[in-house]
Amino acid sequence: MLKSIYRLTRPALFALSPEEAHELTVRALECGVYPRSTAADDRALSQSVFGLEFKNPIGIAAGYDKDARVPDAVLGMGCGFAEIGTVTPHPQSGNPKPRIFRLVEDNALINRLGFNNGGHEAALARLEARKDRGGIVGVNIGANKDSVDRGEDYVLGLLRFNSVASYFTVNISSPNTPGLRDLQAPAALEALLARVMAARTRLINDGAQKRPIVVKISPDIAADDIAPIVEKLMAYDVDAIAVSNTTLSRDGLKSSDSREAGGVSGRPLFQRSTAMLARIFKQTEGRIPLIGIGGIDSGPRALEKIEAGATLLQLYTGLIYEGPSLIGEIKSHLTKTLHEGRQTNLAAIRGRHADVWAKQPL
Protein backbone atom coordinates (compact mmCIF):
# COMPACT_ATOMS: atom_id res chain seq x y z
CA MET A 1 0.00 0.00 0.00
CA LEU A 2 2.69 2.51 1.05
CA LYS A 3 4.72 1.78 -2.06
CA SER A 4 1.66 2.28 -4.27
CA ILE A 5 0.94 5.63 -2.64
CA TYR A 6 4.52 6.75 -3.21
CA ARG A 7 4.36 5.74 -6.86
CA LEU A 8 1.33 8.00 -7.24
CA THR A 9 2.96 10.96 -5.48
CA ARG A 10 6.47 10.62 -6.93
CA PRO A 11 5.65 12.37 -10.23
CA ALA A 12 4.50 15.44 -8.26
CA LEU A 13 7.71 15.44 -6.21
CA PHE A 14 9.82 14.95 -9.32
CA ALA A 15 8.07 17.91 -10.95
CA LEU A 16 9.82 20.05 -8.35
CA SER A 17 13.54 20.69 -8.38
CA PRO A 18 15.42 18.07 -6.32
CA GLU A 19 16.25 20.58 -3.61
CA GLU A 20 12.65 21.86 -3.43
CA ALA A 21 11.34 18.29 -3.21
CA HIS A 22 13.84 17.51 -0.44
CA GLU A 23 12.82 20.56 1.56
CA LEU A 24 9.14 19.65 1.13
CA THR A 25 9.68 16.15 2.50
CA VAL A 26 11.71 17.41 5.46
CA ARG A 27 8.99 19.93 6.28
CA ALA A 28 6.39 17.15 6.09
CA LEU A 29 8.41 15.14 8.60
CA GLU A 30 8.70 18.20 10.84
CA CYS A 31 4.92 18.46 10.78
CA GLY A 32 4.51 14.80 11.67
CA VAL A 33 3.37 13.76 8.19
CA TYR A 34 5.20 10.49 7.60
CA PRO A 35 4.44 6.76 7.75
CA ARG A 36 4.92 5.32 11.24
CA SER A 37 6.47 1.96 11.78
CA THR A 38 4.27 0.29 14.38
CA ALA A 39 5.48 -3.33 14.26
CA ALA A 40 8.39 -4.36 16.47
CA ASP A 41 11.54 -5.34 14.62
CA ASP A 42 12.44 -9.02 14.54
CA ARG A 43 14.99 -9.80 17.24
CA ALA A 44 17.29 -11.32 14.62
CA LEU A 45 17.90 -7.81 13.24
CA SER A 46 19.09 -6.40 16.58
CA GLN A 47 22.77 -6.13 17.37
CA SER A 48 25.21 -4.46 19.69
CA VAL A 49 27.64 -2.29 17.75
CA PHE A 50 30.36 -0.08 19.27
CA GLY A 51 28.55 -0.16 22.58
CA LEU A 52 25.12 0.83 21.23
CA GLU A 53 22.07 -1.40 20.92
CA PHE A 54 20.59 -1.18 17.41
CA LYS A 55 17.03 -2.50 16.85
CA ASN A 56 17.79 -2.99 13.18
CA PRO A 57 20.76 -2.16 10.91
CA ILE A 58 19.12 0.54 8.77
CA GLY A 59 19.78 4.26 8.98
CA ILE A 60 19.49 7.26 6.68
CA ALA A 61 22.79 8.72 5.57
CA ALA A 62 24.04 12.19 6.42
CA GLY A 63 22.87 14.85 4.01
CA TYR A 64 19.20 14.06 4.43
CA ASP A 65 18.85 15.86 7.77
CA LYS A 66 21.70 18.34 7.73
CA ASP A 67 20.48 20.49 10.62
CA ALA A 68 18.94 17.94 13.00
CA ARG A 69 15.41 18.94 12.09
CA VAL A 70 13.86 15.45 11.94
CA PRO A 71 15.89 12.72 13.71
CA ASP A 72 12.82 11.50 15.63
CA ALA A 73 10.76 11.23 12.46
CA VAL A 74 13.55 9.19 10.84
CA LEU A 75 13.49 6.85 13.84
CA GLY A 76 9.69 6.83 13.76
CA MET A 77 9.69 5.56 10.17
CA GLY A 78 11.40 2.41 11.38
CA CYS A 79 15.11 3.15 11.09
CA GLY A 80 17.42 1.68 13.69
CA PHE A 81 19.38 4.91 13.85
CA ALA A 82 19.50 8.44 12.47
CA GLU A 83 22.51 10.55 11.51
CA ILE A 84 22.35 14.32 11.22
CA GLY A 85 24.76 16.60 9.38
CA THR A 86 27.19 17.20 7.97
CA VAL A 87 27.45 20.13 10.40
CA THR A 88 30.28 22.64 10.36
CA PRO A 89 31.24 25.07 13.15
CA HIS A 90 29.82 28.10 11.34
CA PRO A 91 26.74 28.32 9.10
CA GLN A 92 27.50 28.26 5.39
CA SER A 93 25.27 28.44 2.35
CA GLY A 94 27.12 25.88 0.24
CA ASN A 95 27.60 26.03 -3.49
CA PRO A 96 25.37 28.03 -5.88
CA LYS A 97 22.07 26.51 -7.04
CA PRO A 98 21.18 24.38 -8.90
CA ARG A 99 23.35 21.85 -7.11
CA ILE A 100 21.34 18.61 -7.07
CA PHE A 101 20.45 16.73 -10.26
CA ARG A 102 18.26 13.65 -10.69
CA LEU A 103 19.65 11.04 -13.04
CA VAL A 104 16.37 9.18 -13.45
CA GLU A 105 17.61 6.81 -16.14
CA ASP A 106 20.36 5.72 -13.77
CA ASN A 107 18.39 5.75 -10.49
CA ALA A 108 21.00 8.17 -9.24
CA LEU A 109 21.67 11.73 -8.11
CA ILE A 110 24.50 14.18 -8.53
CA ASN A 111 24.98 16.70 -5.75
CA ARG A 112 27.48 19.48 -5.22
CA LEU A 113 25.85 20.97 -2.13
CA GLY A 114 29.10 21.77 -0.35
CA PHE A 115 28.13 21.26 3.30
CA ASN A 116 25.29 23.79 3.33
CA ASN A 117 24.09 23.86 6.93
CA GLY A 118 23.09 26.14 9.77
CA GLY A 119 26.22 25.53 11.83
CA HIS A 120 26.90 23.90 15.20
CA GLU A 121 24.81 26.22 17.34
CA ALA A 122 21.52 25.66 15.53
CA ALA A 123 21.88 21.86 15.32
CA LEU A 124 23.02 21.61 18.93
CA ALA A 125 19.94 23.47 20.16
CA ARG A 126 17.66 21.04 18.33
CA LEU A 127 19.49 17.96 19.62
CA GLU A 128 19.47 19.26 23.18
CA ALA A 129 15.71 19.78 22.91
CA ARG A 130 15.14 16.11 21.99
CA LYS A 131 17.90 14.34 23.94
CA ASP A 132 15.49 12.74 26.45
CA ARG A 133 13.56 11.00 23.68
CA GLY A 134 16.15 8.25 23.24
CA GLY A 135 17.08 6.47 20.07
CA ILE A 136 20.47 6.36 18.37
CA VAL A 137 21.29 9.70 16.73
CA GLY A 138 24.75 10.17 15.26
CA VAL A 139 26.32 13.51 14.41
CA ASN A 140 28.27 13.83 11.18
CA ILE A 141 30.92 16.53 11.58
CA GLY A 142 32.82 18.45 8.92
CA ALA A 143 34.93 21.51 8.26
CA ASN A 144 33.95 24.92 6.93
CA LYS A 145 35.01 25.66 3.38
CA ASP A 146 36.99 28.74 4.45
CA SER A 147 38.48 27.22 7.58
CA VAL A 148 42.18 27.88 8.13
CA ASP A 149 42.45 24.85 10.44
CA ARG A 150 40.16 22.06 9.33
CA GLY A 151 41.41 19.70 12.02
CA GLU A 152 40.22 22.14 14.64
CA ASP A 153 36.76 22.18 13.06
CA TYR A 154 36.45 18.43 13.67
CA VAL A 155 37.69 18.81 17.24
CA LEU A 156 35.11 21.56 17.84
CA GLY A 157 32.40 19.27 16.54
CA LEU A 158 33.42 16.58 18.99
CA LEU A 159 33.54 18.97 21.94
CA ARG A 160 30.24 20.68 21.21
CA PHE A 161 28.07 17.65 20.45
CA ASN A 162 29.47 15.09 22.87
CA SER A 163 26.57 15.45 25.30
CA VAL A 164 23.91 14.80 22.64
CA ALA A 165 25.54 12.55 20.03
CA SER A 166 25.18 8.78 20.21
CA TYR A 167 28.25 8.57 17.96
CA PHE A 168 30.26 10.78 15.63
CA THR A 169 31.06 10.40 11.95
CA VAL A 170 34.16 12.25 10.77
CA ASN A 171 33.38 13.21 7.18
CA ILE A 172 36.59 13.66 5.21
CA SER A 173 35.25 12.30 1.96
CA SER A 174 32.83 14.79 0.47
CA PRO A 175 33.98 15.72 -3.05
CA ASN A 176 32.23 19.10 -2.85
CA THR A 177 34.53 20.94 -0.44
CA PRO A 178 37.80 21.68 -2.24
CA GLY A 179 40.74 19.88 -0.66
CA LEU A 180 38.69 17.99 1.93
CA ARG A 181 39.57 14.58 0.53
CA ASP A 182 43.24 15.42 0.98
CA LEU A 183 42.65 14.61 4.65
CA GLN A 184 42.46 10.95 3.60
CA ALA A 185 46.15 10.93 2.64
CA PRO A 186 47.91 8.80 5.28
CA ALA A 187 50.03 11.59 6.79
CA ALA A 188 47.15 14.07 6.92
CA LEU A 189 44.80 11.36 8.19
CA GLU A 190 47.20 10.46 10.98
CA ALA A 191 47.47 14.10 12.06
CA LEU A 192 43.69 14.49 12.06
CA LEU A 193 43.04 11.26 13.94
CA ALA A 194 45.63 12.18 16.54
CA ARG A 195 43.82 15.45 17.27
CA VAL A 196 40.33 13.94 17.24
CA MET A 197 41.25 11.02 19.47
CA ALA A 198 43.16 13.28 21.85
CA ALA A 199 40.08 15.48 22.14
CA ARG A 200 37.95 12.46 22.95
CA THR A 201 40.43 11.35 25.60
CA ARG A 202 40.32 14.78 27.20
CA LEU A 203 36.53 14.64 27.29
CA ILE A 204 36.59 11.22 28.95
CA ASN A 205 39.18 12.35 31.48
CA ASP A 206 36.90 15.28 32.31
CA GLY A 207 34.05 12.89 33.04
CA ALA A 208 32.21 12.97 29.72
CA GLN A 209 30.78 9.86 28.15
CA LYS A 210 32.93 8.10 25.57
CA ARG A 211 31.34 8.42 22.13
CA PRO A 212 32.17 6.05 19.24
CA ILE A 213 33.99 7.64 16.31
CA VAL A 214 33.27 6.55 12.74
CA VAL A 215 35.36 7.74 9.78
CA LYS A 216 33.61 8.05 6.42
CA ILE A 217 35.79 7.45 3.38
CA SER A 218 35.53 8.03 -0.35
CA PRO A 219 34.80 5.32 -2.91
CA ASP A 220 37.35 6.95 -5.20
CA ILE A 221 40.39 5.92 -3.18
CA ALA A 222 42.86 4.15 -5.45
CA ALA A 223 43.11 0.43 -4.84
CA ASP A 224 46.73 0.67 -3.67
CA ASP A 225 45.83 3.40 -1.15
CA ILE A 226 43.11 1.46 0.67
CA ALA A 227 45.51 -0.59 2.80
CA PRO A 228 47.60 2.31 4.19
CA ILE A 229 44.47 4.33 4.95
CA VAL A 230 42.83 1.42 6.77
CA GLU A 231 46.08 0.80 8.67
CA LYS A 232 45.92 4.35 10.02
CA LEU A 233 42.27 3.95 10.99
CA MET A 234 43.05 0.73 12.83
CA ALA A 235 46.13 2.20 14.49
CA TYR A 236 43.97 4.91 16.03
CA ASP A 237 41.26 2.44 17.03
CA VAL A 238 38.38 4.11 15.24
CA ASP A 239 35.12 2.46 16.21
CA ALA A 240 33.80 1.97 12.68
CA ILE A 241 34.41 2.87 9.04
CA ALA A 242 31.62 4.17 6.78
CA VAL A 243 32.03 2.98 3.18
CA SER A 244 31.35 5.16 1.30
CA ASN A 245 30.56 8.72 0.26
CA THR A 246 29.57 9.75 -3.28
CA THR A 247 31.80 9.11 -6.30
CA LEU A 248 33.26 11.35 -8.96
CA SER A 249 33.14 8.50 -11.47
CA ARG A 250 30.73 8.82 -14.38
CA ASP A 251 31.24 5.30 -15.72
CA GLY A 252 28.14 3.86 -17.35
CA LEU A 253 25.83 6.81 -16.73
CA LYS A 254 23.17 7.48 -19.36
CA SER A 255 21.28 10.53 -18.09
CA SER A 256 21.65 13.89 -19.81
CA ASP A 257 22.78 15.61 -16.59
CA SER A 258 25.50 13.06 -15.87
CA ARG A 259 28.29 15.53 -16.70
CA GLU A 260 27.24 17.98 -14.01
CA ALA A 261 29.96 18.49 -11.41
CA GLY A 262 29.56 16.82 -8.03
CA GLY A 263 29.32 13.42 -6.40
CA VAL A 264 27.17 10.61 -7.77
CA SER A 265 24.99 8.59 -5.40
CA GLY A 266 22.52 5.81 -6.01
CA ARG A 267 22.54 2.62 -8.03
CA PRO A 268 25.70 3.32 -10.12
CA LEU A 269 27.67 3.53 -6.86
CA PHE A 270 26.66 0.07 -5.65
CA GLN A 271 29.32 -1.98 -7.41
CA ARG A 272 32.34 0.13 -6.47
CA SER A 273 31.29 0.88 -2.89
CA THR A 274 30.48 -2.77 -2.20
CA ALA A 275 33.76 -4.02 -3.67
CA MET A 276 35.62 -1.50 -1.48
CA LEU A 277 33.57 -2.54 1.53
CA ALA A 278 34.56 -6.18 1.03
CA ARG A 279 38.25 -5.32 0.63
CA ILE A 280 38.20 -3.40 3.90
CA PHE A 281 36.29 -6.19 5.64
CA LYS A 282 38.99 -8.63 4.61
CA GLN A 283 41.84 -6.32 5.56
CA THR A 284 40.37 -5.67 9.00
CA GLU A 285 39.39 -9.35 9.35
CA GLY A 286 35.95 -8.19 10.35
CA ARG A 287 37.23 -6.66 13.59
CA ILE A 288 35.95 -3.14 12.88
CA PRO A 289 32.24 -2.57 12.18
CA LEU A 290 31.60 -1.24 8.69
CA ILE A 291 28.66 0.93 7.65
CA GLY A 292 27.68 0.03 4.09
CA ILE A 293 26.47 2.99 2.02
CA GLY A 294 25.92 3.35 -1.72
CA GLY A 295 23.26 2.10 -4.08
CA ILE A 296 20.99 0.31 -1.61
CA ASP A 297 17.54 0.45 -3.20
CA SER A 298 16.09 -2.98 -2.43
CA GLY A 299 16.17 -5.79 0.11
CA PRO A 300 18.49 -7.95 -2.01
CA ARG A 301 21.00 -5.11 -2.40
CA ALA A 302 20.94 -4.48 1.36
CA LEU A 303 21.60 -8.17 1.89
CA GLU A 304 24.54 -8.04 -0.53
CA LYS A 305 26.10 -5.23 1.51
CA ILE A 306 25.90 -7.33 4.67
CA GLU A 307 27.23 -10.39 2.89
CA ALA A 308 30.14 -8.24 1.67
CA GLY A 309 30.93 -7.24 5.25
CA ALA A 310 28.62 -4.45 6.44
CA THR A 311 27.38 -4.38 10.02
CA LEU A 312 25.09 -1.38 9.53
CA LEU A 313 23.53 0.20 6.44
CA GLN A 314 22.60 3.72 5.39
CA LEU A 315 20.16 4.78 2.68
CA TYR A 316 19.44 8.05 0.94
CA THR A 317 19.08 8.08 -2.84
CA GLY A 318 17.23 4.75 -2.76
CA LEU A 319 14.54 6.40 -0.64
CA ILE A 320 14.09 9.12 -3.25
CA TYR A 321 13.37 6.58 -5.96
CA GLU A 322 11.61 3.88 -3.93
CA GLY A 323 9.95 5.85 -1.14
CA PRO A 324 9.81 5.21 2.62
CA SER A 325 8.44 1.69 2.18
CA LEU A 326 12.02 0.73 1.30
CA ILE A 327 12.89 0.68 5.00
CA GLY A 328 10.29 -1.98 5.79
CA GLU A 329 11.05 -3.94 2.61
CA ILE A 330 14.70 -4.24 3.57
CA LYS A 331 13.91 -5.35 7.09
CA SER A 332 11.46 -7.96 5.79
CA HIS A 333 13.96 -9.31 3.28
CA LEU A 334 16.75 -9.58 5.83
CA THR A 335 14.47 -11.26 8.37
CA LYS A 336 13.18 -13.74 5.78
CA THR A 337 16.73 -14.57 4.71
CA LEU A 338 17.82 -15.22 8.28
CA HIS A 339 14.82 -17.37 9.11
CA GLU A 340 15.09 -19.45 5.93
CA GLY A 341 18.74 -20.09 6.69
CA ARG A 342 17.96 -20.90 10.34
CA GLN A 343 20.29 -18.12 11.44
CA THR A 344 19.52 -16.12 14.52
CA ASN A 345 21.42 -12.91 13.82
CA LEU A 346 23.07 -10.84 11.10
CA ALA A 347 26.55 -11.77 12.27
CA ALA A 348 25.92 -15.26 10.87
CA ILE A 349 25.80 -13.95 7.30
CA ARG A 350 28.08 -10.92 7.58
CA GLY A 351 30.98 -11.12 5.17
CA ARG A 352 30.11 -14.57 3.80
CA HIS A 353 30.54 -13.26 0.25
CA ALA A 354 33.42 -10.90 1.00
CA ASP A 355 35.92 -13.05 -0.88
CA VAL A 356 33.85 -12.79 -4.06
CA TRP A 357 33.16 -9.08 -3.72
CA ALA A 358 36.76 -8.22 -2.86
CA LYS A 359 37.84 -9.60 -6.25
CA GLN A 360 35.48 -7.27 -8.11
CA PRO A 361 37.08 -4.25 -9.82
CA LEU A 362 36.77 -0.84 -8.22
Side-chain angles (χ1 to χ4, degrees):
M1 171 68 82
L2 183 57
K3 189 162 190 169
S4 298
I5 293 173
Y6 186 73
R7 283 179 174 166
L8 290 173
T9 58
R10 199 180 87 162
L13 281 173
F14 278 27
L16 301 172
S17 75
E19 199 157 352
E20 289 172 336
H22 174 79
E23 177 62 21
L24 183 64
T25 59
V26 172
R27 286 187 181 182
L29 266 61
E30 284 182 311
C31 294
V33 181
Y34 59 87
R36 267 72 169 175
S37 175
T38 54
D41 292 329
D42 193 289
R43 290 183 62 183
L45 298 182
S46 66
Q47 51 189 340
S48 179
V49 185
F50 43 63
L52 301 175
E53 301 300 322
F54 290 77
K55 295 179 180 177
N56 69 69
I58 303 165
I60 294 181
Y64 181 78
D65 185 13
K66 286 176 172 290
D67 292 312
R69 293 163 60 185
V70 291
D72 294 299
V74 168
L75 296 171
M77 288 195 295
C79 288
F81 63 112
E83 183 171 308
I84 71 97
T86 298
V87 284
T88 57
H90 304 291
Q92 61 181 26
S93 58
N95 293 317
K97 299 178 182 179
R99 50 192 180 180
I100 308 178
F101 304 88
R102 292 188 196 96
L103 309 184
V104 176
E105 291 177 88
D106 302 296
N107 275 55
L109 290 179
I110 289 177
N111 93 76
R112 52 173 181 259
L113 289 163
F115 286 172
N116 57 309
N117 75 103
H120 283 180
E121 188 175 339
L124 180 60
R126 294 188 182 100
L127 292 177
E128 285 180 334
R130 57 83 51 203
K131 68 179 180 181
D132 294 332
R133 296 174 195 158
I136 298 173
V137 179
V139 175
N140 187 302
I141 52 177
N144 279 110
K145 181 179 180 180
D146 60 356
S147 174
V148 296
D149 184 353
R150 286 182 169 168
E152 183 64 14
D153 284 11
Y154 291 96
V155 170
L156 285 173
L158 207 68
L159 299 178
R160 286 177 177 160
F161 289 95
N162 197 78
S163 64
V164 294
S166 302
Y167 69 90
F168 287 99
T169 297
V170 176
N171 187 354
I172 53 174
S173 50
S174 169
N176 299 316
T177 297
L180 191 78
R181 286 185 167 186
D182 293 345
L183 293 172
Q184 296 177 129
L189 180 59
E190 181 167 19
L192 176 65
L193 291 173
R195 293 177 71 175
V196 169
M197 292 304 184
R200 182 170 73 168
T201 299
R202 289 196 301 274
L203 282 167
I204 296 169
N205 291 341
D206 290 341
Q209 189 166 348
K210 180 181 179 180
R211 301 299 188 187
I213 292 177
V214 180
V215 175
K216 188 172 185 176
I217 63 173
S218 161
D220 299 326
I221 295 170
D224 290 343
D225 293 336
I226 295 174
I229 288 172
V230 173
E231 285 172 8
K232 295 296 182 191
L233 296 175
M234 294 179 71
Y236 280 89
D237 289 328
V238 301
D239 296 281
I241 305 171
V243 188
S244 64
N245 214 312
T246 57
T247 179
L248 293 174
S249 171
R250 298 295 188 269
D251 291 347
L253 296 182
K254 296 171 287 190
S255 302
S256 58
D257 284 333
S258 62
R259 293 298 158 190
E260 290 287 346
V264 176
S265 61
R267 190 172 295 174
L269 181 56
F270 183 79
Q271 170 73 28
R272 184 178 182 92
S273 61
T274 308
M276 178 172 285
L277 177 81
R279 292 183 186 204
I280 295 173
F281 178 81
K282 287 178 63 65
Q283 184 181 343
T284 60
E285 299 177 333
R287 288 178 288 149
I288 298 179
L290 304 179
I291 302 177
I293 314 166
I296 302 173
D297 58 9
S298 68
R301 284 180 180 264
L303 176 62
E304 285 189 80
K305 287 281 188 188
I306 291 172
E307 291 174 330
T311 297
L312 299 171
L313 306 170
Q314 286 185 331
L315 320 173
Y316 189 167
T317 306
L319 285 172
I320 293 171
Y321 284 95
E322 301 301 323
S325 65
L326 178 61
I327 299 166
E329 289 172 16
I330 290 173
K331 289 194 288 188
S332 295
H333 187 76
L334 295 178
T335 301
K336 180 171 179 285
T337 299
L338 291 172
H339 288 177
E340 287 179 348
R342 298 183 182 278
Q343 287 122 350
T344 58
N345 54 60
L346 291 168
I349 61 172
R350 182 178 309 125
R352 66 182 179 181
H353 294 166
D355 286 342
V356 175
W357 269 105
K359 294 175 183 173
Q360 299 297 313
L362 295 176

